[in-house]
Amino acid sequence: MSEWWAVPVQIFIGFAGGLAVGSGMVAFLVVLDVLPRLAQITRSYHLIGWYEGAVIMGSLFFTCTDFFNFSYSLFPLSAAVFGLFAGGFIGMLAGALTEVVNVLPILAKRIGMGSYMIWLLMAMIFGKVVGSLLDWLHFLE
């Protein structure tokens, strides 16, 4: 991409991706009250500040690891440990996003887009499909 429009397109794609991931994270934490529920289940309300700090530090750490291409030499079993934590996170995130999709019709009616709801959902679906295909087919290398 050496055309003049390459940088603005990349900025837009990066911003859109960040907005989508950030929205999912906010939905995960705020809409479903995941941290208060975990504190309630484990009866550890006094540690909720630590839970919040762990989520923030984990997000920052792995964002920097991904952004700067850090690599770590760990023992082979550590992949299983990270896999368990990542699977738990993805499972809870998928559940949170399912709940957020239930909020979309209410939001669309409030902002006057009720009649365009099908287009909003189709745009989200096709955007996800196209983005996934581009990533899987390595067009964005």
Side-chain angles (χ1 to χ4, degrees):
M1 292 179 96
S2 62
E3 291 83 11
W4 64 270
W5 50 269
V7 172
V9 167
Q10 290 174 348
I11 289 171
F12 175 75
I13 290 172
F15 183 73
L19 188 63
V21 171
S23 298
M25 190 68 176
V26 168
F28 175 66
L29 295 175
V30 175
V31 173
L32 294 179
D33 291 333
V34 171
L35 294 179
R37 284 186 185 183
L38 289 176
Q40 179 184 15
I41 290 169
T42 60
R43 296 185 181 129
S44 58
Y45 295 109
H46 62 284
L47 297 175
I48 198 151
W50 285 95
Y51 295 154
E52 293 169 349
V55 168
I56 292 168
M57 293 306 294
S59 296
L60 288 174
F61 175 76
F62 286 108
T63 298
C64 290
T65 296
D66 185 43
F67 188 72
F68 296 113
N69 292 324
F70 292 148
S71 62
Y72 305 100
S73 297
L74 301 173
F75 59 97
L77 192 56
S78 64
V81 174
F82 281 114
L84 284 173
F85 284 121
F89 174 77
I90 295 299
M92 286 193 274
L93 185 62
L97 291 177
T98 302
E99 291 292 324
V100 170
V101 170
N102 294 337
V103 175
L104 283 176
I106 298 167
L107 177 66
K109 287 180 184 176
R110 286 192 181 173
I111 63 174
M113 290 185 61
S115 60
Y116 300 106
M117 189 62 197
I118 189 71
W119 294 106
L120 177 63
L121 289 173
M122 294 307 284
M124 292 171 64
I125 291 167
F126 287 130
K128 180 65 177 170
V129 169
V130 169
S132 296
L133 286 174
L134 289 175
D135 185 42
W136 293 335
L137 298 174
H138 301 287
F139 283 127
L140 299 178
E141 285 185 359

